[in-house]
């Protein structure tokens, strides 16, 4: 089944408890959990903390080191390894049959054609579980891929699933097909929401703040917009819409960067960024009011620029992106929770999952991401069990730009996700031309 509790409700702890009870009852057997690279040590620490009697083996290191460790599999209760390593080591695991095979952050196999998905589907186990706060981020095929890991064939082959459910639901908004799919998947999904469970968890207040560009920024934005429109029209006319996706995304990304700060990619840009100025004001005010702040952006170049400007104002910042080794991430998190630094700057990719930062009570999304589920996961670094204060979430949106369009898209996607995972009416499909 899928354990799909919202972020911060303790999916990891529930599985550790389950494994402990299985060990006590059935005495023996080895289980395996596959996790994103950044969570390998996190799992190990949680097991040590809550179930020290479970004998755990982390399989990481060089190919040779992993090969030696894999020989020890049967002498342990729980094996922890990562998706990228499982892709490389799957042949070595084929001789084992595990008691339970657990995927953490199972959205890592949402693309059924990916190596992640193909490798974990080759693991032999008596029982399969998927943990994810977001069983479906964009499309129904993602849900199919997770079920294909749990119970191959239960939701048919992908081709048949697409014909029977995906197309009628997304293209024709077919309510009866949606109900039918809901009936099939509901018995296998356990999902609790914070608002149902945690009467004691403080509120989360979300606020969208519209900011203006500086004059110079606006000129650059409009010039790029014209240029990109011309290039894309030509590209679509010659190659067709479906073959132009990369060019389109590159163009849209450039516009998004200009909204953040043109200096991210224009080395000689000496002007201001309206958004950065607004951020500085918000952060200074927050710190004066005794708040501690998480700031997320998907552009690491932007995060570094923010860090520089805040430090120039005497504000202490911690910084985390994907280049920081896993071991050091844990230390950064502990330091922040102990009170070091007023602001924690985190790249959306590196900090979207597995970090517990309840010492912060304000979350700022500097730039919007296409996918609301990813942003929510980042917000839930602070809004989770252990949080004693009301959490304020601020989304900075540049007025009159692509960012407003992304925000509208997010709102539509939120509706779609709620309607498939909960009872549903209509859906919207992928980005149209």
């Amino acid at each position: 089944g899928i354990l799909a509790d919202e972020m911060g409700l303790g999916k990891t702890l529930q599985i550790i408890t389950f494994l402990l009870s299985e060990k006590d009852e059935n005495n023996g057997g080895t289980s395996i959990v596959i996790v994103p690279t950044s969570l390998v040590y996190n799992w190990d620490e949680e097991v040590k903390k809550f179930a020290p009697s479970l004998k755990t083996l982390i399989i990481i290191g060089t190919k040779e080191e992993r090969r030696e460790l894999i020989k020890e599999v049967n002498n342990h209760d729980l094996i922890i390894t990562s998706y990228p390593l499982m892709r490389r080591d799957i042949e070595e695991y084929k001789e084992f049959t595990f008691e339970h095979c657990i995927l953490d952050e199972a959205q890592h196999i949402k693309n059924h054609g990916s190596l992640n998905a193909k490798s974990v589907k080759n693991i032999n186990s008596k029982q399969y579980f998927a943990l994810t706060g977001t069983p479906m981020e964009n499309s129904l095929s993602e849900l199919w891929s997770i079920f294909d890991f749990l119970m191959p064939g239960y939701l048919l082959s992908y081709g048949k699933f697409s014909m029977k459910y995906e197309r009628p639901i997304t293209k024709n908004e077919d309510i009866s097909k949606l109900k039918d799919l809901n009936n099939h998947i509901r018995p296998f999904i356990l999902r609790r929401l914070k608002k149902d469970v945690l009467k004691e968890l403080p509120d989360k207040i979300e606020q969208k703040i519209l900011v203006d560009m500086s004059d110079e920024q606006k000129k650059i934005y409009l010039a790029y917009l014209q240029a990109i429109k011309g290039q894309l029209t030509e590209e679509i006319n010659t190659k067709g819409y479906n073959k132009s996706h990369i060019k389109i995304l590159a163009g849209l990304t450039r516009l998004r960067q200009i909204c953040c700060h043109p200096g991210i990619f224009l080395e000689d840009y000496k002007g201001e960024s309206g958004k950065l100025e607004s951020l500085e004001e918000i952060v200074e005010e927050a710190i004066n009011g005794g708040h501690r702040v998480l700031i997320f952006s998907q552009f690491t170049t932007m995060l570094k620029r923010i860090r520089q400007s805040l430090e120039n104002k005497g504000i202490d910042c911690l910084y985390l992106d994907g280049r920081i080794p896993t071991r050091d991430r844990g230390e950064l998190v502990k330091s922040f929770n102990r009170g070091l630094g007023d602001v924690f700057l985190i790249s959306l990719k590196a900090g979207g999952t597995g970090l517990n930062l309840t010492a912060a009570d304000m979350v700022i999304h500097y730039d919007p991401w296409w996918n609301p589920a990813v942003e929510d996961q980042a917000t839930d670094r602070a809004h989770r069990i252990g949080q004693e204060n009301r959490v304020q979430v601020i989304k900075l949106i540049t007025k009159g730009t692509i960012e407003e369009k992304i925000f509208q898209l997010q709102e539509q996607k939120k509706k779609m996700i709620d309607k498939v995972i909960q009872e549903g009416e209509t859906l919207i499909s992928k980005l149209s031309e």
Side-chain angles (χ1 to χ4, degrees):
I2 300 178
L3 181 53
D5 281 0
E6 259 192 312
M7 296 299 298
L9 294 185
K11 294 187 285 287
T12 310
L13 184 54
Q14 289 180 63
I15 283 291
I16 292 170
T17 311
F18 167 70
L19 291 173
L20 197 57
S21 74
E22 286 287 284
K23 183 188 174 180
D24 293 345
E25 280 174 31
N26 304 335
N27 208 7
T30 303
S31 297
I32 186 166
V33 57
I34 297 110
V35 307
T37 306
S38 57
L39 298 186
V40 169
Y41 293 106
N42 204 55
W43 265 84
D44 188 43
E45 279 189 3
E46 298 278 284
V47 176
K48 283 194 179 105
K49 185 170 166 187
F50 294 110
S53 64
L54 284 179
K55 215 173 151 200
T56 305
L57 178 66
I58 301 181
I59 298 186
I60 50 172
T62 64
K63 182 78 184 166
E64 288 312 308
E65 288 166 345
R66 300 197 306 272
R67 194 167 279 156
E68 287 308 306
L69 289 168
I70 289 171
K71 291 176 184 168
E72 298 295 313
V73 160
N74 286 335
N75 303 328
H76 294 80
D77 299 313
L78 181 63
I79 307 303
I80 302 171
T81 191
S82 70
Y83 288 100
L85 295 178
M86 182 51 76
R87 295 200 300 257
R88 293 176 207 142
D89 297 341
I90 184 62
E91 289 305 318
E92 315 269 336
Y93 285 101
K94 281 188 173 166
E95 60 182 278
F96 299 101
T97 298
F98 294 99
E99 285 296 311
H100 311 96
C101 175
I102 298 138
L103 301 186
D104 190 20
E105 301 297 346
Q107 66 274 17
H108 279 257
I109 66 157
K110 65 184 183 183
N111 176 354
H112 59 86
S114 68
L115 286 171
N116 274 352
K118 287 176 175 164
S119 58
V120 300
K121 289 173 185 181
N122 274 314
I123 297 170
N124 302 314
S125 181
K126 296 175 188 170
Q127 288 188 313
Y128 296 89
F129 294 104
L131 316 188
T132 170
T134 49
M136 195 188 86
E137 292 181 336
N138 292 305
S139 68
L140 290 175
S141 63
E142 299 171 359
L143 196 65
W144 180 87
S145 185
I146 295 179
F147 269 93
D148 186 46
F149 160 77
L150 296 171
M151 300 181 285
Y154 176 70
L155 289 183
L156 316 169
S157 67
Y158 179 60
K160 286 182 178 162
F161 173 81
S162 184
M163 274 168 62
K164 184 172 179 183
Y165 296 113
E166 189 172 24
R167 281 184 214 151
I169 290 171
T170 46
K171 293 271 190 314
N172 311 328
E173 304 191 347
D174 185 325
I175 305 299
S176 64
K177 285 286 197 287
L178 182 59
K179 281 220 161 90
D180 183 33
L181 178 60
N182 259 315
N183 289 336
H184 275 81
I185 64 177
R186 201 181 297 117
F188 301 101
I189 298 182
L190 268 181
R191 181 167 176 83
R192 300 180 307 158
L193 302 176
K194 285 191 186 126
K195 62 179 193 307
D196 308 330
V197 179
L198 292 177
K199 301 294 176 251
E200 70 274 20
L201 189 68
D203 293 342
K204 175 169 74 171
I205 300 167
E206 293 200 359
Q207 186 183 5
K208 171 175 127 182
I209 296 184
L210 283 175
V211 297
D212 268 323
M213 289 189 269
S214 67
D215 291 342
E216 206 168 333
Q217 191 180 8
K218 203 171 281 179
K219 281 180 196 150
I220 289 175
Y221 185 87
L222 293 171
Y224 266 86
L225 183 60
Q226 283 312 108
I228 287 164
K229 272 186 176 171
Q231 288 165 10
L232 292 183
T233 306
E234 199 178 314
E235 177 89 5
I236 292 169
N237 287 342
T238 50
K239 289 190 178 167
Y241 174 68
N242 286 332
K243 287 191 176 159
S244 307
H245 283 179
I246 289 176
K247 204 58 173 284
I248 293 169
L249 276 175
L252 296 180
T253 300
R254 190 55 90 213
L255 293 175
R256 289 170 50 228
Q257 287 174 324
I258 297 170
C259 294
C260 291
H261 197 304
I264 299 182
F265 66 94
L266 290 175
E267 281 180 20
D268 53 354
Y269 181 77
K270 296 286 181 278
E272 301 297 327
S273 155
K275 185 180 273 198
L276 185 56
E277 288 177 357
S278 302
L279 177 79
E280 287 168 359
E281 278 172 28
I282 292 167
V283 171
E284 281 189 282
E285 203 176 303
I287 289 168
N288 291 337
H291 298 285
R292 296 180 75 215
V293 187
L294 306 182
I295 299 176
F296 289 97
S297 167
Q298 62 245 278
F299 301 115
T300 52
T301 41
M302 189 64 226
L303 283 174
K304 287 170 182 160
R305 201 170 265 271
I306 295 171
R307 179 191 198 171
Q308 190 65 58
S309 76
L310 293 179
E311 285 177 348
N312 290 346
K313 292 186 177 301
I315 293 169
D316 286 337
C317 300
L318 298 182
Y319 178 91
L320 170 65
D321 69 19
R323 295 204 180 103
I324 289 173
T326 310
R327 285 170 194 269
D328 300 345
R329 292 179 192 195
E331 281 311 308
L332 279 170
V333 169
K334 281 179 191 159
S335 302
F336 185 77
N337 283 335
R338 280 199 299 263
L340 186 72
D342 300 311
V343 174
F344 203 153
L345 298 159
I346 306 174
S347 77
L348 197 60
K349 273 228 166 98
T353 51
L355 304 177
N356 186 344
L357 291 163
T358 47
D361 59 358
M362 181 182 275
V363 177
I364 300 173
H365 290 282
Y366 187 78
D367 37 273
W369 181 234
W370 306 104
N371 191 336
V374 173
E375 274 186 14
D376 290 345
Q377 284 202 330
T379 297
D380 287 339
R381 305 303 98 230
H383 191 244
R384 59 198 298 127
I385 295 177
Q387 178 56 265
E388 288 163 11
N389 302 312
R390 184 171 279 186
V391 176
Q392 190 175 1
V393 184
I394 293 174
K395 298 186 176 198
L396 293 179
I397 304 291
T398 313
K399 196 168 176 308
T401 69
I402 179 158
E403 291 194 338
E404 286 201 278
K405 300 279 168 61
I406 295 174
F407 187 79
Q408 289 162 5
L409 192 72
Q410 286 184 346
E411 296 298 297
Q412 288 176 310
K413 274 198 176 169
K414 276 187 175 154
K415 285 180 191 153
M416 169 176 109
I417 288 164
D418 287 344
K419 282 175 177 152
V420 173
I421 305 298
Q422 275 109 45
E423 196 52 67
E425 317 289 278
T426 57
L427 290 167
I428 48 121
S429 42
K430 293 217 174 117
L431 270 179
S432 66
E433 185 168 347

